[in-house]
């Protein structure tokens, strides 16, 4: 073995041992990267310190022997029994706390102790930081590395922290991200240096803006040449306002555009212009649904280049992305990132290294929040607190982009609402009311008596009398019941169909609409966001005003009926079954109250502020899981419950749900491949397109009757083909009193 402590060893292609990476080399390499990353939020000396100290525990003889034995680098050690894992992170953390005390030392200790296992809780269990430090020893490392620690004391923190909020915990998580990414990259540089050549090498944001502007110019000329109508002219107005608004000082923005107003490309125009003017590092486009993320990413790729946009979401198919893109998804080191709300916000509160690694690259970025009205009320307080800090301390500009703006600022009469200070959010559109008037394409018809439900038979009869109509209901049981009463040839869309099945049906629907064929579609609300359909008539089961507005966005979308002197028709009806329990039910109740009190137009711009105010008031809590308390540092030893907060901050509670693979189309062949070859990452990615999510009780029913089987550890597939219908998807029983009956989507 080398006389100097070793950090990593590897074998060459010929089987010979390469020159080992010494611990000193690894610490210095990691420190240099972490310092650069943390400099994005004015914490470079802290990044350098945490990088220099993170692996000092590897200097201990016990760890050096563990490395030699585990790797086989020491041939004599290979003859010994394999030892258990030797912890190097906790001794490293204890060393900095011993040298710097429980102020600076505790901050660094959180990062160092968690750089493999994830950020720990401060107290509470044997995995908590306090317990680990109490039982760790620095013996064997102080002699060689005590002076290194003492001579690299970090400077002052970048700002004064609010001791009662998320301020300190977010800063620690950002330092942690800088360390984790630096550690990964320096290790990769030694272990897999071929990957280094695939990282980075993207065009600059000014170059992407130039490409984008050329693309937009071509689209605009083509659109206006084909049809210089009010809708296309309004979209040009939105684009012009976005370019002008991008010149405003960084901070918080709203982009309020009616559905179909061209906000996808216009918001990207704002983001690129703003990023170039103010030297931002990247654009992050956050989308609420995985069902539309791929189509939006494709729109951006056509605008700036196939290899310039990185998708990061659960449905990503490894065959559809390059090695370079997959690497960039690990740490978001690319100029344009398209991701989901779940990925973005859960990462901001995460503890795992894989989820936190990218966070430092959010600093100095432009973040577009598409469909901002879907921010979950039960997590709104911690989300807004994190956004406020990212703007104030990490140079992030946010754009809340939607047709139905939620309340994000504090309002008179709602003193406890945890929003931004009044006047903080600037609207990008110069004249929103005028834009809404110009883009009026539908009239909404509301029943006179909102207390009387219409039977499904009546709704089916009304739909059948119209040649081209879309009907949106609020749960999948209702969707199936209504579909069963419709004439042959009607389409069905719900989350009981796997993603591949839904995509194929939507493609068929678009073709039928293009050819002006008679067509009727029954769908859950999954069709309301990002699915560009255009029907002359849309029926919507009574729901929240934002849902009614989204459904209306699928009606006369291109304004073609306006040329004939008429508007599209949106008919609201009271369904036999109420909206699903939770916020969807409360949203429908709020809409019912407002309509009953005389609201003439559910799409009226001025209706959304009182609507969201009432909706948030009805929420049981805007911090239902107590995230703010878990992440507030508790005296006297700065105890922060990182892991508990991460476990609690789940936008989608998957504990009550299970996924089932279905033999739809290619899915059957992929399931057989899984059975034969076992789980491989590329295969599991592909299979996500053929999964359906059900509640646990439904899963157990299917298991009990032998309809599903475990085809790989913890992976279950449908074994009975007759239980997956090509029209409606998975055939499951949903009893009226069963929570699954209210599963939306």
């Amino acid at each position: 073995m080398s006389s100097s402590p070793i950090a990593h060893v590897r074998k060459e292609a010929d089987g010979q041992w390469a020159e080992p990476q010494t611990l000193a080399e690894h610490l210095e390499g990691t420190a240099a990267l972490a310092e650069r990353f943390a400099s994005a939020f004015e914490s470079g000396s802290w990044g350098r310190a945490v990088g220099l100290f993170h692996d000092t525990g590897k200097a201990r003889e016990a760890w050096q022997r563990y490395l030699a034995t585990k790797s086989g680098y020491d041939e004599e050690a290979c003859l010994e029994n394999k030892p258990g894992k030797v912890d190097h992170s906790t001794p490293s953390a204890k060393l900095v706390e011993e040298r710097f005390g429980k102020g600076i030392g505790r901050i660094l200790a959180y990062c160092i102790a968690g750089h493999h296992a994830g950020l720990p809780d401060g107290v509470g269990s044997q995995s908590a930081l306090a317990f680990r430090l109490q039982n760790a020893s620095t013996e064997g490392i102080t002699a060689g590395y005590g002076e290194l620690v003492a001579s690299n004391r970090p400077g002052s923190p970048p700002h004064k922290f609010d001791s009662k909020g998320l301020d300190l915990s977010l800063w620690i998580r950002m330092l942690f991200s800088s360390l984790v990414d630096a550690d990964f990259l320096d290790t990769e540089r030694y272990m897999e240096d071929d990957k280094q050549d695939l990282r980075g090498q993207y065009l600059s944001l000014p170059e992407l803006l130039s490409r984008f502007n050329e693309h937009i110019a071509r689209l605009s000329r083509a659109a206006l040449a084909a049809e210089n109508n009010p809708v296309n002219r309004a979209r040009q107005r939105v684009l012009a306002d976005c370019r002008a608004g991008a010149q405003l000082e960084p901070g918080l923005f709203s982009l309020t555009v009616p559905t179909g107003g061209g906000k996808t490309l216009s918001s990207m125009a704002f983001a690129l212009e703003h990023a170039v003017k103010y030297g931002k590092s990247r654009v992050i486009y956050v989308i609420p649904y995985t069902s539309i993320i791929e189509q939006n990413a494709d729109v951006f790729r056509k605008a700036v280049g196939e290899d310039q946009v990185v998708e990061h979401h659960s449905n990503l198919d490894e065959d559809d992305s390059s090695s370079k893109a997959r690497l960039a998804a690990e740490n978001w080191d690319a100029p344009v990132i398209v991701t989901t709300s779940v990925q973005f916000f859960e990462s901001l509160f995460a503890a795992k290294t894989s989820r936190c690694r990218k966070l430092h690259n959010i600093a100095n970025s432009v973040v577009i929040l598409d469909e901002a009205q879907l921010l979950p009320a039960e997590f709104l307080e911690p989300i807004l607190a994190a956004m406020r800090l990212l703007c104030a301390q990490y140079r992030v500009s946010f754009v809340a982009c939607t047709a139905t703006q939620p309340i994000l600022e504090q309002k008179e009469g709602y003193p406890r609402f945890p929003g931004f200070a009044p006047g903080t959010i600037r609207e990008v559109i110069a004249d929103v009311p005028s834009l809404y008037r110009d883009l009026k394409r539908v009239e909404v018809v509301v029943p006179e008596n909102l207390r009387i439900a219409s039977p499904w038979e009546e709704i089916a009869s009304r739909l059948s009398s119209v040649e081209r109509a879309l009907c949106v209901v609020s749960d999948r049981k209702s969707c199936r019941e209504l579909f069963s009463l419709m004439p042959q040839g009607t389409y069905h869309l719900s989350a009981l169909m796997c993603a591949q099945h839904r995509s194929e049906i939507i493609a068929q629907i678009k073709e039928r609409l293009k050819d002006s064929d008679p067509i009727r579609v029954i769908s859950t609300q999954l069709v309301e966001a990002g699915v560009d359909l255009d029907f002359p008539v849309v029926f919507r089961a009574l729901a929240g005003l934002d849902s009614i507005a989204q459904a209306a966005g699928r009606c006369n979308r291109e304004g073609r009926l306006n040329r004939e002197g008429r508007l599209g028709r949106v008919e609201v009806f009271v369904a036999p079954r109420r909206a699903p329990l939770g916020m969807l039910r409360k949203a429908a109740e709020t809409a019912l109250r407002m309509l009953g009190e005389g609201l003439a137009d559910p799409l009226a711009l001025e209706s959304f502020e009182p609507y969201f105010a009432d909706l948030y008031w009805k929420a049981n809590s805007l911090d239902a899981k107590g995230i703010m308390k878990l992440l507030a540092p508790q005296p006297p030893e700065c105890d922060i419950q990182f892991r508990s907060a991460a476990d609690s901050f789940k936008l989608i509670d998957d504990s009550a749900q299970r996924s089932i693979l279905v033999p739809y189309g290619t899915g059957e062949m992929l399931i057989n491949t899984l059975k034969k070859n076992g789980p491989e990452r590329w295969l599991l990615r592909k299979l996500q397109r053929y999964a359906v999510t059900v509640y646990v009780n439904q899963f157990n029913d299917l298991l009990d009757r032998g309809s599903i089987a475990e085809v790989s550890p913890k992976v279950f597939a449908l074994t009975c083909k007759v239980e997956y219908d090509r029209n409606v998807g998975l055939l499951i029983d949903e009893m009226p009193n069963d929570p699954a009956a209210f599963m939306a989507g």
Side-chain angles (χ1 to χ4, degrees):
M1 286 182 62
S2 168
S3 57
S4 300
I6 293 171
H8 301 106
V9 294
R10 64 176 172 85
K11 282 188 175 181
E12 302 282 18
D14 60 5
Q16 298 298 308
W17 288 103
E19 188 71 20
Q21 183 187 40
T22 66
L23 182 55
E25 290 169 339
H26 177 55
L27 295 180
E28 183 55 48
T30 302
L33 287 170
E35 180 178 18
R36 175 159 62 87
F37 298 155
S39 293
F41 48 96
E42 300 175 2
S43 304
S45 68
W46 288 81
R48 177 166 181 77
V50 77
L52 275 177
F53 310 152
H54 79 288
D55 268 358
T56 52
K58 287 186 175 181
R60 300 167 70 212
E61 178 61 29
W63 197 90
Q64 289 293 304
R65 179 59 57 186
Y66 163 73
L67 172 66
T69 305
K70 181 185 177 188
S71 65
Y73 182 65
D74 184 332
E75 293 183 1
E76 291 185 5
C78 286
L79 300 176
E80 303 171 4
N81 292 328
K82 295 286 185 184
K85 184 176 180 181
V86 175
D87 179 13
H88 67 277
S89 301
T90 310
S92 304
K94 184 160 187 173
L95 178 62
V96 297
E97 188 159 299
E98 285 180 349
R99 294 305 169 104
F100 295 140
K102 292 186 177 178
I104 293 174
R106 179 55 58 98
I107 290 168
L108 297 173
Y110 273 117
C111 300
I112 293 170
H115 78 271
H116 286 297
L119 282 167
D121 282 342
V123 293
S125 69
Q126 292 188 5
S127 62
L129 182 63
F131 183 89
R132 288 170 60 183
L133 293 177
Q134 183 180 350
N135 290 277
S137 170
T138 59
E139 184 179 355
I141 59 174
T142 52
Y145 290 91
E147 181 57 34
L148 175 75
V149 173
S151 60
N152 284 278
R153 183 185 184 91
S156 299
H159 57 270
K160 187 175 181 180
F161 297 105
D162 176 4
S163 62
K164 296 181 180 179
L166 300 183
D167 201 349
L168 182 60
S169 68
L170 181 59
W171 184 60
I172 292 173
R173 195 180 277 104
M174 283 289 191
L175 287 174
F176 178 67
S177 170
S178 301
L179 168 62
V180 168
D181 195 25
D183 187 26
F184 269 111
L185 290 174
D186 188 73
T187 302
E188 178 183 277
R189 184 162 51 195
Y190 172 75
M191 300 294 291
E192 302 174 89
D193 59 352
D194 57 318
K195 285 187 177 181
Q196 290 290 313
D197 297 333
L198 293 173
R199 291 192 181 275
Q201 301 177 18
Y202 291 95
L203 294 179
S204 67
L205 283 171
E207 290 172 313
L208 294 185
L209 177 59
S210 177
R211 282 189 178 189
F212 182 86
N213 286 339
E214 290 174 6
H215 177 76
I216 290 296
R218 287 193 299 270
L219 290 181
S220 298
R221 286 193 298 269
L224 293 175
E227 194 170 353
N228 188 4
N229 62 19
V231 172
N232 281 336
R233 290 195 295 273
R235 289 169 179 166
Q236 291 301 308
R237 241 176 84 193
V238 171
L239 178 62
D241 282 355
C242 282
R243 284 179 165 149
Q247 309 308 309
L248 296 172
E249 291 289 325
L252 290 154
F253 299 90
S254 58
L255 178 59
T256 309
V257 178
T259 303
K263 67 181 186 297
T264 299
L265 280 172
S266 293
S267 62
M268 181 57 75
F270 174 97
L272 289 172
E273 294 269 9
H274 191 73
V276 169
K277 180 171 178 62
Y278 291 102
K280 302 295 184 185
S281 301
R282 61 189 44 81
V283 172
I284 303 172
Y285 204 99
V286 182
I287 298 174
Y289 301 118
T290 55
S291 58
I292 60 173
I293 190 171
E294 292 155 350
Q295 72 178 33
N296 281 26
D298 286 341
V299 168
F300 299 144
R301 285 196 183 95
K302 289 175 183 176
V304 300
E306 286 291 329
D307 57 347
Q308 301 300 314
V309 177
V310 171
E311 293 178 56
H312 189 190
H313 56 91
S314 61
N315 284 348
L316 184 65
D317 189 330
E318 296 241 330
D319 284 357
D320 293 337
S321 62
S322 65
S323 298
K324 177 179 173 181
R326 290 195 294 274
L327 290 174
E330 295 173 353
N331 64 354
W332 289 4
D333 184 17
V336 179
I337 303 291
V338 183
T339 190
T340 61
S341 301
V342 170
Q343 182 66 240
F344 184 81
F345 287 113
E346 287 190 2
S347 294
L348 283 174
F349 295 90
K352 291 182 179 179
T353 56
S354 58
R355 296 298 293 270
C356 290
R357 179 179 175 183
K358 57 187 171 287
L359 292 184
H360 68 91
N361 278 328
I362 294 176
N364 196 38
S365 64
V366 184
V367 178
I368 305 291
L369 297 179
D370 193 24
E371 306 296 354
Q373 80 280 1
L374 294 174
L375 290 174
E378 59 269 31
F379 293 108
L380 197 58
E381 184 174 359
I383 283 175
L384 295 184
M387 288 173 61
R388 187 184 301 112
L389 288 168
L390 287 170
C391 283
Q393 312 295 356
Y394 300 90
R395 296 187 291 175
V396 174
S397 285
F398 277 99
V399 185
C401 186
T402 177
T404 55
Q405 282 291 348
I407 294 178
L408 299 181
E409 286 186 344
Q410 297 163 1
K411 299 290 181 182
E412 188 175 347
Y414 302 95
R416 293 188 297 171
F417 180 70
F420 301 111
T424 301
I425 302 176
R426 291 156 292 168
E427 175 57 50
V428 173
I429 299 300
D431 188 347
V432 175
S434 171
L435 179 64
Y436 271 66
R437 287 193 297 271
D438 291 348
L439 280 173
K440 182 174 176 59
R441 289 152 292 172
V442 305
E443 59 178 348
V444 182
V445 180
V446 179
E448 289 185 9
N449 192 329
L450 290 163
R451 298 292 175 181
I452 299 177
S454 298
W456 287 132
E457 290 78 6
E458 178 188 328
I459 302 303
S461 176
R462 288 163 59 187
L463 280 165
S464 300
S465 69
V466 181
E467 282 201 341
R468 296 160 67 80
L470 165 69
C471 181
V472 182
V473 296
S474 297
D475 65 278
R476 59 196 196 184
K477 182 176 176 65
S478 296
C479 189
R480 184 167 293 178
E481 287 179 354
L482 179 55
F483 175 78
S484 70
L485 300 172
M486 293 297 295
Q488 192 169 1
T490 301
Y491 288 95
H492 168 282
L493 282 169
S494 87
L496 285 177
M497 303 156 71
C498 67
Q500 184 62 32
H501 192 177
R502 295 197 306 268
S503 295
E504 292 175 9
I505 294 298
I506 289 170
Q508 291 177 32
I509 293 169
K510 288 182 175 181
E511 284 301 312
R512 292 283 296 275
L513 287 170
K514 194 183 302 180
D515 296 337
S516 300
D517 293 336
I519 179 172
R520 302 176 187 91
V521 178
I522 314 299
S523 177
T524 59
Q525 59 265 40
L526 67 84
V527 80
E528 289 180 345
V531 183
D532 297 340
L533 303 178
D534 191 351
F535 285 84
V537 180
V538 169
F539 288 73
R540 184 47 165 109
L542 180 67
L545 296 187
D546 53 331
S547 295
I548 294 172
Q550 288 294 333
R554 317 307 126 192
C555 184
N556 193 23
R557 188 178 182 87
E558 297 300 321
R560 295 187 178 95
L561 296 178
N562 294 57
R563 288 174 294 175
E564 303 170 13
R566 59 195 181 101
L567 298 173
R569 190 169 86 253
V570 176
E571 294 197 17
V572 176
F573 64 92
V574 181
R577 181 174 295 102
R578 298 169 69 191
L581 291 167
M583 291 308 294
L584 287 175
R585 172 78 60 85
K586 291 173 181 176
E589 290 170 347
T590 295
L592 178 65
R593 178 188 61 77
M594 293 178 70
L595 291 168
E597 292 175 355
L599 177 64
D601 181 6
L603 307 186
L605 182 63
E606 62 273 12
S607 67
F608 292 109
E609 182 176 310
Y611 166 74
F612 280 107
D614 189 76
L615 188 58
Y616 293 156
W617 178 82
K618 283 180 176 176
N620 295 331
S621 170
L622 299 181
D623 182 15
K625 302 294 184 179
I627 304 298
M628 299 295 290
K629 184 176 181 181
L630 288 170
L631 292 178
Q634 300 300 314
E637 298 186 351
C638 188
D639 293 321
I640 301 173
Q641 302 300 89
F642 285 106
R643 187 159 299 180
S644 294
D647 290 342
S648 297
F649 193 96
K650 300 294 183 186
L651 298 190
I652 299 175
D653 181 9
D654 55 8
S655 63
Q657 301 176 9
R658 296 291 299 270
S659 287
I660 298 168
L661 302 177
V662 295
Y664 173 82
T666 308
E668 184 174 10
M669 180 269 289
L670 294 172
I671 292 169
N672 289 333
T673 303
L674 177 64
K675 291 178 184 177
K676 181 179 178 182
N677 299 336
E680 296 180 56
R681 190 179 176 191
W682 70 269
L683 180 58
L684 294 176
R685 286 284 194 185
K686 278 187 173 293
L687 281 165
Q688 287 178 345
R689 297 281 299 169
Y690 300 90
V692 173
T693 301
V694 299
Y695 276 94
V696 169
N697 60 330
Q698 296 168 316
F699 177 90
N700 291 335
D701 287 345
L702 290 167
L703 190 63
D704 289 344
R705 66 173 183 253
S707 297
I708 58 174
E710 193 170 18
V711 292
S712 187
K714 298 183 180 180
V715 179
F716 289 80
L718 192 68
T719 57
C720 183
K721 283 189 186 180
V722 298
E723 295 194 64
Y724 191 88
D725 184 86
R726 294 192 68 85
N727 289 318
V728 298
L730 185 64
L731 302 176
I732 55 173
D733 295 326
E734 293 179 302
M735 301 304 292
N737 295 324
D738 190 335
F742 302 107
M743 187 181 198

